[in-house]
Amino acid sequence: MTPYTDLQDRSSSTLLKVASITLLGHLFFSAFSAFAFATFLLPPYPDWLQTPQNQKVMALGYTYGGATTVTLGAISGLAFLAWAVGTRKAFITFAVSFLLALTSEYVGTRWDYPFGAYEYTSQLGYKIGGKVPFNIPTSWFYMLVASLAICGRFLKGKDDNLSKWWWAFVGGVVLTLWDVSMDPAMVKTTHWIWEIGDLSNRSAFEQLIGKPIFFGMPITNWLGWLLTGIIVARVMLAFVAPSEWVAKVAPHRLPIALYAINGLLPLAICFRWDMVPAGVLGTIAMAVPLWAALRNDPAPLTSLGTSPLKRVADGALGTR
């Protein structure tokens, strides 16, 4: 083994360790947040939480808790993707997906397209351009990494243009299924607010998709999620092709865990804050892609050397 190869192996090992450690941190903060919103942050607040000191702690939690959770998830997704496909591809994919998601969200909060009329509150921390919390485009990135990795468990790794668009569509659907419980939960806890105006003079179709019919959320939100998810996923696939997702990313279980972890908080809120139908539908929605991914579970990528990686990837492809 040459010194350069040894350095590559150690660097690769470090990236996977970083991804694993930050995933555990992401799990801890997500689980704690789910517990908090299901117990002592459920109105009416307990007396001990009303003290000035505890109010300060709660304010700090709202300011930095979500940002910390999302940042850890993003680091985990980025480090894992860098380990799987290379640092350069991973950082380019992150940068492009972040900018596209940010653009979509900024246009959405300013001009109401493509999601509908909504506004973020101060609970998600620093807002880029005074409109979009840093957490939002960051979470788009790592959840699409997870969604495309899930797609790699049951879609064929073909790199032609039509296949990439099909992958982008399915990846957008997997991402949007996460929002079935997440959006009602975040609206209920005032992380963002829908500002639906009078639609009485609009067409029946516009009223159907524009009214807040699902726990304060209009159907336009899901359509906007799907459209944005497809576009961002398609661009990501231009840098990391479907064959790479199948061979290098999908065989590992870390992205699947990342996807599942992000259901903890919204589902806890839905079930405990009197939105049981949203919790049930959200559980089913996220369970479907997780079941499909685990049903096609190849041997996880635990070896870091080039030859073991190739053997595992070849074995994963052979199971499809």
Side-chain angles (χ1 to χ4, degrees), residues 68 93 108 124 138 146 171 182 196 198 203 208 237 305 316:
T68 301
T93 302
L124 288 172
T138 308
M182 200 264 292
I196 310 299
D198 183 16
S203 67
L208 173 65
L237 288 163

Side-chain angles (χ1 to χ4, degrees), residues 2-277:
T2 65
Y4 179 71
T5 303
D6 181 59
L7 180 62
Q8 281 186 310
D9 286 347
R10 284 189 280 119
S11 176
S12 182
S13 177
T14 299
L15 285 171
L16 190 58
K17 287 179 181 177
V18 169
S20 300
I21 292 171
T22 50
L23 181 71
L24 289 175
H26 184 65
L27 171 60
F28 170 80
F29 280 99
S30 298
F32 178 78
S33 297
F35 171 77
F37 275 100
T39 55
F40 58 86
L41 290 183
L42 178 67
Y45 299 136
D47 291 339
W48 62 267
L49 197 59
Q50 306 295 332
T51 65
Q53 186 63 36
N54 286 337
Q55 284 291 301
K56 291 180 180 179
V57 173
M58 186 168 70
L60 284 173
Y62 273 114
T63 302
Y64 299 107
T68 301
T69 305
V70 170
T71 300
L72 287 170
I75 293 173
S76 181
L78 180 58
F80 173 77
L81 192 62
W83 169 77
V85 303
T87 303
R88 182 175 179 274
K89 280 186 178 181
F91 274 91
I92 292 175
T93 302
F94 167 73
V96 173
S97 63
F98 183 93
L99 289 174
L100 284 173
L102 173 62
T103 300
S104 180
E105 290 280 357
Y106 188 83
V107 171
T109 52
R110 183 146 190 172
W111 291 289
D112 304 340
Y113 296 99
F115 306 97
Y118 70 107
E119 176 182 23
Y120 288 105
T121 67
S122 60
Q123 291 191 34
L124 288 172
Y126 171 72
K127 293 181 182 179
I128 301 173
K131 288 288 186 179
V132 183
F134 174 80
N135 300 1
I136 301 301
T138 308
S139 60
W140 275 88
F141 161 72
Y142 73 78
M143 285 302 286
L144 272 170
V145 169
S147 297
L148 289 172
I150 288 173
C151 290
R153 292 294 187 94
F154 53 81
L155 294 182
K156 293 181 179 180
K158 295 182 178 180
D159 295 339
D160 58 280
N161 189 51
L162 182 60
S163 294
K164 287 180 180 179
W165 277 111
W166 175 241
W167 269 69
F169 173 76
V170 179
V173 170
V174 173
L175 175 75
T176 304
L177 291 175
W178 171 47
D179 192 56
V180 173
S181 62
M182 200 264 292
D183 214 274
M186 296 298 100
V187 170
K188 187 74 170 182
T189 53
T190 63
H191 284 80
W192 55 79
I193 302 169
W194 286 97
E195 301 173 324
I196 310 299
D198 183 16
L199 300 175
S200 59
N201 61 339
R202 301 293 184 90
S203 67
F205 177 73
E206 288 177 301
Q207 291 185 40
L208 173 65
I209 66 173
K211 284 184 178 180
I213 61 174
F214 188 72
F215 298 96
M217 182 197 76
I219 295 176
T220 53
N221 182 57
W222 284 340
L223 296 176
W225 267 71
L226 183 59
L227 175 63
T228 301
I230 290 172
I231 293 173
V232 178
R234 178 62 184 84
V235 174
M236 292 173 71
L237 288 163
F239 296 101
V240 182
S243 60
E244 291 185 274
W245 288 97
V246 171
K248 300 177 181 179
V249 183
H252 205 288
R253 294 176 184 173
L254 187 146
I256 298 175
L258 188 59
Y259 184 85
I261 288 169
N262 280 269
L264 295 177
L265 176 59
L267 289 175
I269 293 173
C270 286
F271 281 115
R272 289 290 290 128
W273 289 55
D274 298 325
M275 297 184 294
V276 174

